[in-house]
Amino acid sequence: GEDVEQSLFLSVREGDSSVINCTYTDSSSTYLYWYKQEPGAGLQLLTYIFSNMDMKQDQRLTVLLNKKDKHLSLRIADTQTGDSAIYFCAESTSGTYKYIFGTGTRLKVLA
Amino acid sequence: DAMVIQNPRYQVTQFGKPVTLSCSQTLNHNVMYWYQQKSSQAPKLLFHYYDKDFNNEADTPDNFQSRRPNTSFCFLDIRSPGLGDAAMYLCATSRDLGAGGPSNEQFFGPGTRLTVL
């Protein structure tokens, strides 16, 4: 079945860039998402990318998609302590309701 | 602001005592979802409603039920909570199932953390 994988932890220093990686198996994925979850809170959509795009930039966030390798990454420039959270990638297919979530990457930003 | 609201944010119940969690939305979205998220895990879809059409995931236990009396509200009923049901329960909405839509984007509420004693 479909699977989405992420590394569990990432630690960076404040002001550095963070890169969170995600791999997926479903070649029919149409949309890929990045969500942020702060402690005790729900999921907040950060950005998404269509599968026919290679890159999307939104202020400090850059999403790169390598469709051939089924690899998605989220780069956060100038990482701040407020970026400390769990980041989930998810994929879905047009016309379906279901998201397949990754296991989440816990980002810790050191001051 | 249009949003997804969950009440209560924290719920404590006793083993075996029925509990109901509620979700409301001001987005006027067709689809509402309930997810269960255990510590350090990805959210797991329990079921969803497309308008009044209920869709259960195959591995959702019978102990979990849902009601959607109107577009704005959706309830999660846990008939006999066990210790293993302690988790964060997330409600989400989307405009439709994506046919012709741009993104399938789901909007999440803040969650209800359920503790079972």
Side-chain angles (χ1 to χ4, degrees):
Chain A
E2 304 97 340
D3 195 19
V4 179
E5 293 192 358
Q6 299 177 238
S7 53
L8 291 179
F9 299 102
L10 177 65
S11 179
V12 300
R13 294 205 175 276
E14 191 174 18
D16 288 349
S17 292
S18 310
V19 179
I20 303 171
N21 294 301
C22 172
T23 57
Y24 61 97
T25 58
D26 187 359
S27 57
S28 63
S29 297
T30 310
Y31 309 104
L32 295 129
Y33 307 84
W34 283 105
Y35 279 85
K36 176 183 181 183
Q37 186 177 35
E38 298 187 41
L43 277 68
Q44 174 197 354
L45 180 67
L46 290 177
T47 187
Y48 63 84
I49 190 168
F50 299 133
S51 60
N52 62 358
M53 296 169 64
D54 298 324
M55 186 182 93
K56 182 178 180 182
Q57 187 151 5
D58 184 1
Q59 299 182 334
R60 291 191 297 125
L61 305 178
T62 303
V63 179
L64 295 177
L65 175 60
N66 181 328
K67 197 172 180 182
K68 174 175 167 288
D69 294 339
K70 299 191 184 71
H71 182 267
L72 180 74
S73 68
L74 173 69
R75 179 176 180 270
I76 306 172
D78 186 25
T79 313
Q80 303 297 307
T81 53
D83 295 323
S84 293
I86 300 175
Y87 291 80
F88 289 95
C89 72
E91 60 94 5
S92 73
T93 303
S94 178
T96 70
Y97 59 86
K98 203 163 180 176
Y99 276 21
I100 306 296
F101 280 95
T103 49
T105 298
R106 185 179 294 275
L107 174 66
K108 184 172 182 179
V109 182
L110 306 171
Chain B
D1 284 344
M3 55 199 304
V4 181
I5 301 158
Q6 290 189 244
N7 285 306
R9 294 291 312 278
Y10 301 91
Q11 176 74 58
V12 180
T13 191
Q14 290 180 329
F15 183 94
K17 184 175 181 182
V19 66
T20 294
L21 310 182
S22 75
C23 177
S24 63
Q25 53 127 342
T26 61
L27 297 159
N28 204 32
H29 282 173
N30 296 78
V31 193
M32 294 186 78
Y33 310 78
W34 279 105
Y35 289 85
Q36 179 192 63
Q37 186 183 24
K38 295 192 176 181
S39 183
S40 302
Q41 294 184 20
K44 177 180 179 298
L45 183 64
L46 295 173
F47 24 61
H48 78 279
Y49 272 95
Y50 184 89
D51 291 330
K52 284 192 174 292
D53 184 21
F54 176 71
N55 298 271
N56 203 28
E57 292 299 297
D59 57 354
T60 298
D62 292 340
N63 198 23
F64 292 87
Q65 304 286 322
S66 187
R67 295 170 284 136
R68 189 179 185 187
N70 54 52
T71 300
S72 301
F73 285 86
C74 194
F75 300 98
L76 169 62
D77 300 309
I78 309 176
R79 291 193 296 192
S80 182
L83 298 178
D85 296 328
M88 173 80 91
Y89 289 87
L90 297 167
C91 174
T93 73
S94 66
R95 189 170 62 202
D96 59 27
L97 294 186
S103 75
N104 287 9
E105 181 180 346
Q106 293 187 17
F107 295 81
F108 283 80
T112 295
R113 182 166 296 284
L114 177 69
T115 300
V116 181
L117 300 177

